[in-house]
Amino acid sequence: MVAGSSRFLPSPQVQRPNQMSWHPQYRSSKFRHVFGKPASKENCYDSVPITRSVHDNHFCAVNPHFIAVVTECAGGGAFLVIPLHQTGKLDPHYPKVCGHRGNVLDIKWNPFDDFEIASCSEDTTIKIWDIPKQLLTRNFTTYKKELVGHSRRVGLVEWHPTAANILFSSGYDYKVMVWNLDTKESVIVNPVRTITCHQDVILSMSFNTNGSLLATACKDRKIRILDPRLGTILQEASYKGHRANKVLFLGNMKKLLSTGTSRWNNRQMALWDQDNLSVPLTEEDLDGSSGVLFPFYDVDTNMLYIVGKGDGNIRYYEVSAEKPHLNYLTEYRSYNPQKGIGTMPKRGLEVSSCEIFRFYKLITTKSLIEPISMIVPRRSESYQEDIYPPTAGAQPSLTAREWLSGMNREPILVSLRPGSQPLSPRPLPPEKPLSTPTARTSPQLLDHTAKLSAEDGQRPVSQPEGKAPRWAVEHRPEEKKSWLTNGFDIFECPPPKTENELLQMFYRQQEEIRRLRELVTQREVQAKQLELEIKNLRMSSA
């Protein structure tokens, strides 16, 4: 009996959970309880004729002043540029930005100029637009530059993350073209570089933090890492178990994330080592839906957001250098499917409400654009330094000439704390540009602009002539004659004609008063902090 009963004794292998007790069951994270907060109906953009194109793109671009969205247009391609504060129902005759002869497939705001946007189209061209500061009263058709080089429709455009006036485009001719916009010509025929290593349509492009590497996902199922200046392939993945649609650099972690489908047609994401694309570090199947997965990565918080086209879910993860690299946090769910999505740059977020990311969801079934804020729940109303590390600002760290000559620099960082100064003091080297510079403010004014943009996301009121630097007076004469409110000339705004428009204007004024009160309170707190610091310094010196 004793010998027979030994079969039922626990073996040493059964005690594995005790051996692994050092591994915590739950990770401690300050972002564990992040939740998505959709905007109220009056803070959405209603009656927007969103495009019905089947192209797998975002169709939306956002900055602290405007939201741009590709729209339906008969006889060509067009997109809308709506002031960020102009929420509510959109006028059915709202002016469009139009000039393309085919459907617009992608739009991107210049990261260093909130009034410049690039668009590409099925008509094989890319156009650069300078959006006027005043409200549009009629269709806008005057483009700044036209880039003509692709032989087939252009599907993607991307601005370089650190160099001014450098734009990348990819078309259905399997080519990636590099454009230098710092020229006098209004029509640019020859790009500075044409990358011809792809064998099929390019589905996605992504830069690393300083823009020295370019990753692409191609329809031939390969992920490539390229030198964007030389056009040479540095790494190539030909892994058969994962068909990538979108690819994304994960900041400075030397890792790539791709979304696509598995060999069983499940939606899947894969994590790759930047220096070895032979086999992914990890793969994770998400669901069996068919819509494309759009990945978004927040370098500051190491959070990854996965947005599915055709469904209403937004999954988010925390990325770490140690295994497991992708740590699931939670999911925002909605019954309204998204056609496309836009994201707000960090300098346009509401730091007073602990907002760390903001999406703009295109809902074609309701002709609605719905903002969704990702919020870290905190009880304190003071500025939360731990969730807002220094982030990339709106100033380039390189000129186009410097980048093309082989130089690399990290982005110029700014603090999102209200009233803070840029953390990287190095300005662009003084050289006479060949065309209108993309940064429309002088280095002295950039600090002031960055402060106000971080505080309230609005364009500052122009300075009086006597106080403004001579450079600003010479290059911005139109602002001496206008009074700007929220970036627009109040004398150019038409008066309200209906009761609804009057109510909307009243609500906007109430919101402006509330915002100004909060700003005054913040300034009072800052003044008290400075007084305490001065007092402490005097006591220490004594």
Side-chain angles (χ1 to χ4, degrees):
M1 291 293 294
V2 175
S5 62
S6 63
R7 292 182 301 169
F8 302 100
L9 293 176
S11 64
Q13 295 179 351
V14 178
Q15 302 298 324
R16 186 174 298 173
N18 295 333
Q19 297 173 7
M20 300 293 291
S21 60
W22 58 269
H23 193 283
Q25 187 175 2
Y26 297 104
R27 293 179 66 254
S28 60
S29 171
K30 66 185 74 173
F31 304 111
R32 172 171 297 280
H33 302 290
V34 170
F35 65 95
K37 181 181 179 181
S40 57
K41 187 64 180 292
E42 58 268 17
N43 291 322
C44 295
Y45 305 85
D46 201 359
S47 302
V48 181
I50 301 168
T51 180
R52 301 190 181 277
S53 170
V54 296
H55 202 69
D56 290 327
N57 265 350
H58 298 158
F59 297 124
C60 182
V62 189
N63 67 26
H65 295 94
F66 300 105
I67 175 171
V69 58
V70 180
T71 182
E72 285 291 302
C73 181
F79 58 95
L80 298 171
V81 175
I82 307 170
L84 203 68
H85 69 273
Q86 190 173 324
T87 55
K89 195 169 184 179
L90 191 72
D91 187 342
H93 302 291
Y94 191 85
K96 300 179 177 66
V97 180
C98 50
H100 285 288
R101 297 183 301 276
N103 291 332
V104 174
L105 299 180
D106 196 15
I107 49 176
K108 293 284 169 51
W109 287 106
N110 187 338
F112 311 121
D113 187 351
D114 287 342
F115 293 84
E116 185 173 78
I117 189 170
S119 63
C120 63
S121 168
E122 290 182 349
D123 63 6
T124 73
T125 67
I126 303 110
K127 287 181 169 59
I128 312 297
W129 309 83
D130 268 344
I131 303 302
K133 303 176 187 65
Q134 292 80 17
L135 282 171
L136 295 177
T137 56
R138 60 177 64 90
N139 285 349
F140 188 70
T141 58
T142 308
Y143 53 84
K144 179 182 177 182
K145 290 183 184 295
E146 185 177 27
L147 315 181
V148 182
H150 288 279
S151 58
R152 298 182 66 186
R153 57 181 173 170
V154 187
L156 294 169
V157 286
E158 287 287 346
W159 294 92
H160 194 274
T162 59
N165 291 324
I166 295 293
L167 183 73
F168 282 66
S169 65
S170 70
Y172 279 63
D173 52 5
Y174 311 160
K175 296 177 181 177
V176 176
M177 294 188 178
V178 187
W179 304 88
N180 180 11
L181 306 182
D182 197 6
T183 59
K184 291 182 179 179
E185 292 81 12
S186 60
V187 178
I188 304 176
V189 179
N190 297 316
V192 294
R193 171 68 61 186
T194 301
I195 301 173
T196 58
C197 60
H198 297 88
Q199 306 298 320
D200 211 324
V201 177
I202 297 101
L203 303 175
S204 176
M205 295 190 295
S206 175
F207 286 99
N208 64 343
T209 306
N210 63 6
S212 60
L213 297 175
L214 174 68
T216 61
C218 185
K219 202 172 180 180
D220 62 6
R221 302 184 181 183
K222 292 183 179 181
I223 298 173
R224 296 174 175 87
I225 298 179
L226 313 172
D227 185 323
R229 298 185 189 89
L230 302 177
T232 55
I233 300 176
L234 305 178
Q235 293 284 335
E236 185 175 273
S238 55
Y239 180 68
K240 301 299 182 184
H242 174 78
R243 296 192 293 271
N245 290 322
K246 302 294 178 183
V247 66
L248 192 66
F249 267 105
L250 299 183
N252 290 321
M253 299 186 71
K254 292 191 174 182
K255 290 180 175 57
L256 291 172
L257 183 115
S258 64
T259 59
T261 55
S262 67
R263 63 182 66 191
W264 296 281
N265 283 331
N266 291 324
R267 291 202 296 189
Q268 184 185 62
M269 62 178 179
L271 190 71
W272 308 81
D273 184 355
Q274 174 181 309
D275 300 322
N276 182 11
L277 298 183
S278 58
V279 178
L281 297 173
T282 181
E283 297 175 86
E284 183 173 337
D285 286 3
L286 299 181
D287 55 40
S289 301
S290 58
V292 171
L293 294 170
F294 297 121
F296 298 92
Y297 182 66
D298 185 354
V299 180
D300 305 327
T301 61
N302 292 330
M303 285 186 65
L304 172 71
Y305 301 88
I306 303 294
V307 182
K309 180 182 177 182
D311 57 58
N313 301 342
I314 300 176
R315 302 173 175 90
Y316 34 105
Y317 302 76
E318 196 168 10
V319 184
S320 61
E322 299 82 20
K323 293 183 179 180
H325 302 287
L326 299 174
N327 302 285
Y328 177 76
L329 293 175
T330 186
E331 181 177 4
Y332 168 81
R333 295 188 176 186
S334 171
Y335 294 107
N336 298 317
Q338 53 243 359
K339 168 78 173 183
I341 202 95
T343 59
M344 172 66 76
K346 272 302 189 68
R347 54 196 174 88
L349 299 180
E350 289 286 343
V351 296
S352 59
S353 59
C354 296
E355 182 185 35
I356 59 171
F357 215 78
R358 190 190 304 164
F359 293 99
Y360 287 80
K361 177 177 174 177
L362 307 186
I363 307 173
T364 52
T365 55
K366 294 186 175 182
S367 299
L368 187 74
I369 303 177
E370 180 185 44
I372 300 172
S373 298
M374 312 307 296
I375 294 179
V376 179
R378 294 283 175 95
R379 291 183 179 179
S380 175
E381 296 182 358
S382 61
Y383 179 75
Q384 306 293 310
E385 195 78 45
D386 60 327
I387 62 175
Y388 295 114
T391 188
Q395 183 179 356
S397 55
L398 288 167
T399 63
R401 188 180 305 172
E402 286 177 334
W403 184 80
L404 290 171
S405 66
M407 295 179 65
N408 293 318
R409 285 201 188 97
E410 296 298 320
I412 294 180
L413 302 180
V414 297
S415 173
L416 296 181
R417 177 186 289 275
S420 62
Q421 301 291 331
L423 303 179
S424 303
R426 181 194 177 279
L428 283 176
E431 65 176 28
K432 187 175 181 180
L434 298 176
S435 65
T436 305
T438 55
R440 300 195 172 190
T441 55
S442 66
Q444 292 84 0
L445 289 178
L446 275 168
D447 298 349
H448 184 62
T449 305
K451 286 194 296 183
L452 292 182
S453 297
E455 288 171 2
D456 53 19
Q458 306 294 338
R459 189 166 176 83
V461 178
S462 59
Q463 295 183 348
E465 183 177 353
K467 297 182 180 179
R470 187 177 65 180
W471 190 95
V473 175
E474 292 175 354
H475 289 268
R476 302 178 72 177
E478 74 278 2
E479 292 198 5
K480 296 187 293 183
K481 304 175 184 178
S482 62
W483 294 87
L484 297 181
T485 300
N486 293 333
F488 298 97
D489 193 338
I490 58 176
F491 297 113
E492 294 291 333
C493 297
K497 297 178 181 179
T498 64
E499 184 179 355
N500 188 26
E501 291 179 358
L502 184 62
L503 283 173
Q504 288 183 3
M505 182 171 288
F506 170 75
Y507 292 142
R508 284 199 294 268
Q509 288 177 351
Q510 294 295 316
E511 181 67 20
E512 181 76 7
I513 291 171
R514 183 196 62 80
R515 186 184 62 80
L516 290 174
R517 284 176 178 168
E518 290 181 354
L519 191 59
V520 169
T521 304
Q522 291 175 0
R523 294 295 169 85
E524 288 177 351
V525 172
Q526 292 172 12
K528 290 180 181 179
Q529 290 176 348
L530 289 174
E531 288 176 0
L532 288 174
E533 290 178 3
I534 293 172
K535 185 177 179 181
N536 293 334
L537 286 173
R538 286 176 178 173
M539 292 177 63
S540 61
S541 61

